[in-house]
Amino acid sequence: NAGVTQTPKFQVLKTGQSMTLQCAQDMNHNSMYWYRQDPGMGLRLIYYSASEGTTDKGEVPNGYNVSRLNKREFSLRLESAAPSQTSVYFCASSDGDREAPLHFGNGTRLTVT
Amino acid sequence: QKEVEQNSGPLSVPEGAIASLNCTYSDRGSQSFFWYRQYSGKSPELIMFIYSNGDKEDGRFTAQLNKASQYVSLLIRDSQPSDSATYLCAVSGSARQLTFGSGTQLTVLP
C-alpha cells in the first residue's frame, strides 16, 4: 500500500506562474485535505473534500483552487503563484469518522521567487 | 487569540525522564483531540487521540484531557533520543475540522 502519494516533492515557481499539486490515496478514504505548513504557524487547512464530488474552504483558501477528481484523487491548483505561497504543502486523507486519524503524504516543498 | 496554543519550546529533557507537552484550545465545542509527531523534514504521524476527560495510556505515552479547563497534554515516559521531534496538538472543533497548534519541539538528550 502506497498510502497517500503527493507529486511533485519539490517545485520552484516564478511569481505569476501556475501549477497543480497532485494527491492520490489508495485507502478508500472518503475525506481528503490540503494543508500548508509554515515555520511557527503549524498546519493550516486550505481546502477539504468530505466526499467525492464535494469541496469546501478551510482556513486559508485564497489563491488556491481544488478538484476532487474521483474518490482517490484530490488536486490543488495555484493559478498565479505569489511569494506568500512559499510553503510545504501536505495532502491528507481519512475515513471521516471522528476517531479516524489523518494519513499524510510526504509533502511538497514549494518556493515562489 | 489562536484557537490551539502550544508552547513552541524548544523543550529539552534528559534520556529516561518524563517529557510533558501541553496544549490549550478555545472552542468549547471541541470533541476530539489528537497528538501528532513530526520529525524534521517528514510528514506528521498520529501518536494518540482522546475524547473523554481523564487519562488515556498507550505504551510510554499518556494523553490527558480536561475539557473544563480546555487543556490537553501528552506525557512521554522514559524519553528516548528517538522521541526528539516536533509534537503537534490538533483539535476537532464544532465544524469537525482539525485545527493544529504550532507545535512543541522536543529534544531528548542522551
Side-chain angles (χ1 to χ4, degrees):
Chain A
N1 266 353
V4 179
T5 303
Q6 285 183 241
T7 55
K9 291 184 179 180
F10 301 94
Q11 184 71 49
V12 179
L13 292 177
K14 295 185 185 303
T15 297
Q17 288 185 317
S18 62
M19 78 161 296
T20 299
L21 281 64
Q22 306 287 352
C23 176
Q25 52 92 8
D26 62 3
M27 295 174 283
N28 202 35
H29 285 164
N30 288 316
S31 301
M32 297 186 73
Y33 309 82
W34 277 104
Y35 287 89
R36 60 177 289 173
Q37 187 172 36
D38 303 294
M41 300 290 290
L43 287 155
R44 291 184 292 170
L45 183 63
I46 305 171
Y47 270 93
Y48 66 97
S49 171
S51 62
E52 185 179 355
T54 67
T55 60
D56 286 287
K57 296 179 180 179
E59 180 185 353
V60 288
N62 291 344
Y64 305 95
N65 285 301
V66 291
S67 295
R68 183 73 183 267
L69 304 170
N70 47 55
K71 191 170 185 179
R72 289 187 65 247
E73 298 172 288
F74 189 38
S75 63
L76 179 72
R77 182 161 178 84
L78 286 70
E79 292 290 354
S80 179
S84 60
Q85 294 178 305
T86 294
S87 187
V88 179
Y89 291 84
F90 288 101
C91 178
S93 70
S94 80
D95 277 340
D97 293 336
R98 73 166 187 169
E99 62 269 23
L102 290 179
H103 296 262
F104 286 88
N106 289 330
T108 296
R109 188 172 296 273
L110 175 68
T111 302
V112 183
T113 61
Chain B
Q1 180 189 0
K2 274 202 75 171
E3 294 183 28
V4 179
E5 299 225 26
Q6 295 180 253
N7 187 335
S8 62
L11 172 66
S12 294
V13 299
E15 184 173 355
I18 296 175
S20 178
L21 304 162
N22 304 315
C23 174
T24 59
Y25 59 95
S26 60
D27 184 355
R28 286 196 171 273
S30 300
Q31 298 183 14
S32 308
F33 307 86
F34 301 82
W35 283 100
Y36 285 82
R37 177 176 61 200
Q38 186 175 27
Y39 292 112
S40 180
K42 302 295 185 182
S43 56
E45 56 181 337
L46 181 74
I47 299 176
M48 292 191 71
F49 58 86
I50 186 168
Y51 306 124
S52 304
N53 277 329
D55 295 359
K56 179 181 179 182
E57 187 174 317
D58 184 0
R60 295 186 295 113
F61 299 95
T62 299
Q64 300 174 317
L65 175 61
N66 184 326
K67 289 187 177 181
S69 300
Q70 295 175 248
Y71 176 91
V72 58
S73 65
L74 179 70
L75 301 178
I76 306 174
R77 291 182 300 281
D78 188 23
S79 296
Q80 301 297 309
S82 58
D83 294 326
S84 298
T86 296
Y87 289 80
L88 301 169
C89 173
V91 176
S92 179
S94 48
R96 299 196 71 225
Q97 297 306 315
L98 277 190
T99 300
F100 285 82
S102 55
T104 298
Q105 185 180 345
L106 172 66
T107 300
V108 179
L109 304 170

